[in-house]
Amino acid sequence: MAFTLACKSEPKIHRCRRRGSAAWAIGFSCAERLFLSACVAFRFRVMAQRAPLVMRPLLVSFALIGMSLTAPAILAQKVALSVDESKAEAKIDRNIFGQFAEHLGHGIYDGIWVGPDSTIPNTRGIRNDVVAALKAIKVPNIRWPGGCFADEYHWRKGVGPQRVITLNPNWGGVIEPNSFGTNEFMDFLDQIGSEAYVSVNVGSGTPAEAAEWLEYMTASQPTTLAKERAANGHRTPYEVGYLGIGNESWDCGGNMTPDYYVSQMKIYSRFVRNYNPAQQEKRQMLKIAVGPGGGEPRWTDWTETVMKAYQHHSWSWDLNGLSMHNYTVGDWDHKFAATGFGETEYSKFLKLTLGMDELISKHSAIMDKYDPEKKVALVVDEWGAWYEPSPGSNPGFLVQQNSMRDAVLAALNLNIFARHADRVRGANIAQMINVLQAMIMTDKEKMVLTPTYYVFKMYVPFQDSTFVPVIFDAGTYKHGDISLPRVDAIAAKGKDGKLWMEITNIDPNEPAEIELNLNGISAKSATGETLTAPKVDSVNTFDAPNLVVPKPISAKSQGGKLALKLEPKSVTVISVEQ
Ligand code: AHR
């Protein structure tokens, strides 16, 4: 009796309803199908018990057939991916894997710089453990010294034996010792094998100050500034790959109107020169203007104004990139928590992050009007998750934990950048160490690598690879009124000649069974790594640093196609053997 009642009730569990599954096709949820299946079995069992002996085997068969028809699709959802290597497209610029290190909280001090006298193992004051970890993810460039900090930074206070002690009014009003300055930054880049993306001070500095800074860094002839650099330990000129002309000049960088900024930007573009002989023909320094900070109309105007100016630029100034800042945050006054959340916050936050695609499309379309040849790169030089600060931390230090949700978020954004590879040729996640969506967290001598770090490590083969389109029906993962694609994927031909694929299973509950078809080419096998975790908010901590770490994964060939089962909420990178 109780069982009959249960069968008549309408369970409201809809988690398993997925496009593409049999359950979806006939409009029942998993729970409903489970009940239905049990009902069918129960009915036939009762009938079989009452029926004459000869009829019983037949009724039992009916019971089994009925159960198999109504049983829920509790096995993994199937997703067919099709890749055509002959359709290779734009280069996925390694610079989309760039990092951002601002003088903010423990991003620089304690995170990178401990000083030569520290008991923490270091090389000329720079932490050895951090250097080793960053080398492994092949950081292409680091944006420094800010951020908002950049528009109050005066480089002279951070060179030479006598550093000037100042304050950091943007970030907690703490002491800025200036012990990590130009030479230390360049030494750090040298130790990890990365390039300099230097943001010059437009807000409170002058073009002359910025021009002299560049002369100090890059002049090879014996100018007074070049000699000063040599006296400070570096005779040969430094390379500066990227020059940021201001930061958020519409806001913390000086509250400028677009027109005012453009007139400033032209002056900086003209006079802030790179003198390094190695950068005159090849590897020329790319100049990046301040761009939009979100989807509001004021930023549409900003992009229009800068790009219109670019369209009419003369021989005397040039531009190679337009910056874009876009954090995943939701409501700035009521931010999400970085930990202690469930599926609702997981799905809502990931929905927000997918807005990156629309924003890039919107600003790319404006850029296309004035620069149809796509000479100016869109550089998303601040992106990532921004949560409530960790309890007990200084709110001005922007300390937050980093969970499995952030790993999925990172993969989704990197895939968006890759799909826009023709225009997006740079991006810098905010920020590298101890701040916002960090790769690394430190506490005195301790260091832990975050789930986001592992995503960047797994994506190394995509640096300077060639994008290859993937065709797939992503399906739908639904939670409450939030709908998301169930899976996301990109493919690329690596510099090593191999075909690389990334597949994210966004669904936190169900595995995904991937069938990979290489359009005529027979795939032998695939191997790689997969990153998942027990819960959506699982994190690595100093005490338990290996909860969210990648594990090996391999795919088998079935009739020339590859079959791969992906865990729920997972990020997977594989290379395909043909
Ligand atoms: O990354 C933290 C801050 O966010 C940066 O300093 C600023 O550019 C942005 O608003």
Side-chain angles (χ1 to χ4, degrees):
M1 181 60 182
F3 194 80
T4 314
L5 276 178
C7 282
K8 282 181 183 162
S9 74
E10 290 180 350
K12 289 279 176 275
I13 304 165
H14 293 281
R15 244 180 231 166
C16 300
R17 190 175 292 184
R18 302 279 177 272
R19 206 167 85 197
S21 75
W24 177 268
I26 63 169
F28 288 111
S29 73
C30 271
E32 287 161 349
R33 287 170 64 83
L34 197 60
F35 279 114
L36 194 57
S37 160
C39 284
V40 169
F42 181 74
R43 290 263 175 242
F44 278 110
R45 219 193 92 215
V46 170
M47 283 163 74
Q49 276 165 0
R50 289 179 190 154
L53 217 57
V54 285
M55 294 286 287
R56 285 186 189 175
L58 193 64
L59 287 168
V60 169
S61 306
F62 282 155
L64 289 174
I65 293 167
M67 276 177 76
S68 67
L69 286 175
T70 52
I74 50 172
L75 291 175
Q77 305 294 313
K78 285 205 160 49
V79 183
L81 300 179
S82 166
V83 179
D84 186 351
E85 273 193 84
S86 68
K87 302 252 168 13
E89 294 178 355
K91 181 172 103 171
I92 301 176
D93 199 308
R94 69 181 187 287
N95 286 307
I96 69 165
F97 302 95
Q99 298 286 334
F100 173 34
E102 180 167 13
H103 287 239
L104 193 175
H106 295 296
I108 301 286
Y109 300 109
D110 298 341
I112 299 171
W113 181 256
V114 286
D117 301 331
S118 172
T119 52
I120 298 170
N122 69 82
T123 303
R124 295 180 294 278
I126 294 163
R127 292 181 76 122
N128 293 346
D129 51 356
V130 163
V131 166
L134 292 174
K135 267 171 123 166
I137 59 170
K138 299 197 186 306
V139 178
N141 74 76
I142 299 181
R143 181 170 177 256
W144 175 84
C148 298
F149 181 82
D151 280 299
E152 292 188 71
Y153 184 62
H154 300 284
W155 68 275
R156 279 214 146 278
K157 298 179 180 177
V159 294
Q162 210 55 52
R163 303 296 165 98
V164 180
I165 296 167
T166 57
L167 292 171
N168 188 337
N170 279 291
W171 305 116
V174 294
I175 287 281
E176 167 55 58
N178 279 305
S179 31
F180 188 88
T182 306
N183 295 61
E184 292 73 22
F185 174 58
M186 292 295 186
D187 187 12
F188 171 54
L189 292 178
D190 205 37
Q191 289 188 35
I192 68 167
S194 190
E195 279 193 284
Y197 176 176
V198 173
S199 282
V200 293
N201 181 344
V202 174
S204 67
T206 63
E209 183 189 10
E212 285 175 6
W213 192 12
L214 264 286
E215 185 190 323
Y216 174 85
M217 289 189 277
T218 63
S220 63
Q221 289 162 295
T223 68
T224 303
L225 283 169
K227 283 193 210 161
E228 189 179 340
R229 184 193 64 233
N232 290 336
H234 210 271
R235 198 184 49 78
T236 53
Y238 294 118
E239 287 203 9
V240 178
Y242 310 90
L243 182 84
I245 305 179
N247 171 76
E248 299 192 354
S249 304
W250 30 260
D251 195 356
C252 72
N255 254 291
M256 300 174 191
T257 63
D259 288 326
Y260 181 80
Y261 173 73
V262 164
S263 60
Q264 293 294 301
M265 181 265 288
K266 288 178 181 172
I267 296 170
Y268 279 75
S269 171
R270 169 82 183 124
F271 297 114
V272 183
R273 295 185 168 98
N274 185 320
Y275 296 100
N276 190 324
Q279 293 193 268
Q280 301 313 305
E281 298 295 324
K282 294 179 189 160
R283 301 202 307 280
Q284 283 183 2
M285 181 176 78
L286 303 182
K287 298 172 184 175
I288 298 160
V290 168
E296 293 167 28
R298 66 174 172 136
W299 283 306
T300 313
D301 295 347
W302 189 281
T303 301
E304 285 272 353
T305 310
V306 177
M307 291 307 296
K308 203 179 275 178
Y310 168 79
Q311 188 184 31
H312 301 293
H313 81 276
S314 68
W315 65 270
S316 61
W317 72 278
D318 199 4
L319 195 61
N320 312 98
L322 181 75
S323 137
M324 184 171 110
H325 291 182
N326 184 35
Y327 287 97
T328 305
V329 61
D331 181 348
W332 282 99
D333 296 326
H334 303 97
K335 298 191 197 77
F336 282 67
T339 52
F341 59 86
E343 190 173 351
T344 301
E345 295 81 3
Y346 171 84
S347 53
K348 277 190 182 165
F349 206 68
L350 293 182
K351 179 96 185 167
L352 287 171
T353 215
L354 290 176
M356 177 69 90
D357 187 53
E358 201 187 318
L359 199 63
I360 291 175
S361 299
K362 184 171 157 180
H363 288 278
S364 296
I366 301 172
M367 295 174 82
D368 286 348
K369 278 200 290 180
Y370 303 104
D371 172 31
E373 290 173 36
K374 299 186 194 293
K375 288 187 175 159
V376 179
L378 186 60
V379 181
V380 190
D381 54 14
E382 286 188 29
W383 69 275
W386 192 319
Y387 300 118
E388 279 299 340
S390 295
S393 67
N394 181 335
F397 285 9
L398 310 185
V399 180
Q400 63 188 40
Q401 246 302 0
N402 194 297
S403 70
M404 187 62 218
R405 177 176 63 185
D406 297 301
V408 173
L409 181 149
L412 294 176
N413 280 280
L414 293 171
N415 292 357
I416 291 170
F417 302 152
R419 280 192 280 268
H420 288 278
D422 58 343
R423 182 65 85 176
V424 177
R425 301 196 287 272
N428 300 73
I429 190 166
Q431 298 193 6
M432 192 165 63
I433 303 167
N434 292 331
V435 177
L436 299 175
Q437 189 172 348
M439 308 294 113
I440 297 174
M441 301 179 86
T442 64
D443 179 17
K444 300 186 186 72
E445 75 291 349
K446 290 185 264 185
M447 179 187 87
V448 65
L449 305 175
T450 66
T452 303
Y453 171 89
Y454 289 113
V455 172
F456 272 69
K457 188 154 186 251
M458 289 161 71
Y459 271 76
V460 164
F462 289 97
Q463 294 199 9
D464 285 342
S465 63
T466 308
F467 185 82
V468 179
V470 189
I471 297 164
F472 61 103
D473 176 359
T476 308
Y477 150 63
K478 211 164 156 38
H479 179 71
D481 54 3
I482 304 279
S483 292
L484 290 165
R486 285 192 59 244
V487 294
D488 189 38
I490 58 161
K493 188 93 179 182
K495 281 197 298 181
D496 55 7
K498 289 185 185 168
L499 177 71
W500 288 89
M501 291 204 67
E502 191 288 326
I503 312 163
T504 305
N505 183 8
I506 299 174
D507 193 320
N509 303 309
E510 291 186 45
E513 259 180 26
I514 305 296
E515 185 190 86
L516 182 59
N517 179 2
L518 294 187
N519 251 350
I521 300 169
S522 179
K524 282 196 205 120
S525 63
T527 49
E529 287 189 315
T530 190
L531 184 73
T532 187
K535 296 194 295 168
V536 284
D537 69 336
S538 296
V539 298
N540 291 334
T541 62
F542 296 114
D543 296 331
N546 296 323
L547 189 61
V548 195
V549 292
K551 295 181 183 58
I553 190 169
S554 57
K556 291 190 204 105
S557 174
Q558 288 176 355
K561 295 176 181 172
L562 289 172
L564 189 67
K565 188 167 173 180
L566 304 181
E567 293 296 313
K569 50 172 170 6
S570 61
V571 175
T572 302
V573 173
I574 50 166
S575 71
V576 178
E577 289 294 328
Q578 295 163 25

